[in-house]
């Protein structure tokens, strides 16, 4: 079973639209990470969240961590074709120890 | 460029065969993680090594084994290959042995089992 569930599984948006991707953990989060993957390529680190209520932004991407709910959201403002790819959340969840798990992934397509 | 190097990039082999995937971590990183990514299973954690020792185990099959050498490079050995082993295998490295720490991913090794 997946410890990290993401929704939606896929997303198709028009360029310029805002969108949100959610990540929910079945276990306590020990840091939550967001990565982006171009199809068939390696993962690129986006952001790391550690504290409940923490929010970080990079360019047009904002991530938040709601530790109490064991959830995180990734919000993209005014999406661009360059945002297309697969977004994955990752975390080390206690008491699993050192295993670093990833979510199911969200495939984003941005239509010009 | 993440600094993590994986070889080979592509590999085609037959069922029942054995292959070895190699990973060189980012300079200075002591931890190496191996992941398997397939369309139906997503990105699955296999195993982690820290400074030569196995630190954590995930969904790694008994037919698979890994090790980390004194120079910190790691190898993932896949034996008695089955069609279902076809996947993209990623290696990632980090400075931390546990706890918070960004993972740096290689470009992956694409294995096709025919």
């Amino acid at each position: 079973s997946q410890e990290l569930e993401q929704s939606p599984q896929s997303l198709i948006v028009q360029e310029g639209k805002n969108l949100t991707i959610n990540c929910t953990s079945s276990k306590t989060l020990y840091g939550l990470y967001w990565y982006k993957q171009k199809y068939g390529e390696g993962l690129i680190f986006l952001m790391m969240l550690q504290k409940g209520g923490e929010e970080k932004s990079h360019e047009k991407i904002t991530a938040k961590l709601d530790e109490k709910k064991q959830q995180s959201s990734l919000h993209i403002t005014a999406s661009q074709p360059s945002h297309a790819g697969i977004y994955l959340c990752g975390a080390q969840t206690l008491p699993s120890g050192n295993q670093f798990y990833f979510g199911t992934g969200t495939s984003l397509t941005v239509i010009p | 460029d993440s600094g993590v190097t994986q070889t080979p990039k592509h590999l085609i082999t037959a069922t029942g065969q054995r292959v070895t995937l190699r990973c060189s971590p980012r300079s200075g990183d002591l931890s190496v993680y191996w992941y398997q990514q397939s369309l139906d299973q997503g990105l699955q954690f296999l195993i982690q090594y820290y400074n030569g020792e196995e630190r954590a185990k995930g969904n790694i099959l008994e037919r698979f084994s890994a090790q980390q050498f004194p120079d910190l490079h790691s190898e993932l050995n896949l034996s008695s290959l089955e069609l279902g082993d076809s996947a993209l295998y990623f290696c990632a490295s980090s400075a931390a042995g546990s706890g918070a720490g960004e993972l740096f991913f290689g470009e992956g090794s694409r294995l096709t089992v025919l």
Side-chain angles (χ1 to χ4, degrees), chain A residues 30 33 35 37 50 92 98 100, chain B residues 35 37 55 98-99 101 103:
Chain A
Y30 186 78
Y33 303 73
Y35 285 81
Q37 182 183 25
Q50 288 186 272
Q92 287 175 293
N98 294 325
F100 196 104
Chain B
Y35 289 87
Q37 187 177 42
R55 183 60 68 95
S98 63
L103 298 189

Side-chain angles (χ1 to χ4, degrees), chain B residues 2 8 34 61 75 79 84 86 92-93 104:
Chain B
S2 67
W34 284 99
L61 299 172
E75 291 182 355
S79 61
S86 296
S93 74
F104 295 85

Side-chain angles (χ1 to χ4, degrees), chain A residues 9 19 22 25 29 32 36 45 56 59 64-65 70 88 94 98 100 102 107:
Chain A
Q9 194 171 8
L19 63 105
N22 295 300
S25 173
L29 290 171
L32 190 288
K36 178 186 175 185
F45 173 78
K56 286 188 178 178
E59 297 180 343
K64 301 178 185 179
L65 176 62
Q70 299 176 181
L88 297 109
L94 300 175
N98 294 325
F100 196 104
F102 281 89
S107 175

Side-chain angles (χ1 to χ4, degrees), chain B residues 3-24:
Chain B
V4 178
T5 304
Q6 287 187 249
T7 58
K9 289 191 179 345
H10 301 276
L11 193 55
I12 301 174
T13 188
T15 54
Q17 295 298 305
R18 171 190 170 96
V19 299
T20 297
L21 308 180
R22 182 189 169 100
C23 169
S24 293

Side-chain angles (χ1 to χ4, degrees), chain A residues 25-105:
Chain A
S25 173
S26 62
K27 297 182 179 181
T28 302
L29 290 171
Y30 186 78
L32 190 288
Y33 303 73
W34 283 99
Y35 285 81
K36 178 186 175 185
Q37 182 183 25
K38 290 284 190 183
Y39 295 101
E41 298 181 9
L43 280 68
I44 305 297
F45 173 78
L46 294 176
M47 275 173 276
M48 176 178 73
L49 305 166
Q50 288 186 272
K51 300 176 183 177
E54 187 174 8
E55 179 176 323
K56 286 188 178 178
S57 293
H58 176 66
E59 297 180 343
K60 294 184 178 180
I61 301 176
T62 301
K64 301 178 185 179
L65 176 62
D66 184 337
E67 197 169 272
K68 290 184 180 179
K69 293 185 177 180
Q70 299 176 181
Q71 288 181 335
S72 178
S73 62
L74 186 82
H75 184 78
I76 298 178
T77 303
S79 58
Q80 301 170 354
S82 61
H83 287 128
I86 301 171
Y87 289 82
L88 297 109
C89 61
Q92 287 175 293
T93 54
L94 300 175
S96 297
N98 294 325
Q99 293 99 328
F100 196 104
Y101 290 101
F102 281 89
T104 47

Side-chain angles (χ1 to χ4, degrees), chain B residues 30-85:
Chain B
L30 299 178
S31 268
V32 170
Y33 297 74
W34 284 99
Y35 289 87
Q36 179 193 56
Q37 187 177 42
S38 58
L39 284 175
D40 57 342
Q41 294 289 323
L43 195 62
Q44 297 290 314
F45 169 72
L46 297 178
I47 198 164
Q48 179 210 359
Y49 279 84
Y50 178 76
N51 203 20
E53 294 187 1
E54 182 182 307
R55 183 60 68 95
K57 220 167 189 177
N59 303 319
I60 188 166
L61 299 172
E62 286 191 9
R63 299 184 285 109
F64 296 180
S65 65
Q67 55 183 323
Q68 186 180 28
F69 295 86
D71 66 353
L72 301 177
H73 90 271
S74 178
E75 291 182 355
L76 179 67
N77 300 297
L78 315 174
S79 61
S80 302
L81 287 168
E82 302 175 0
L83 295 177
D85 296 329

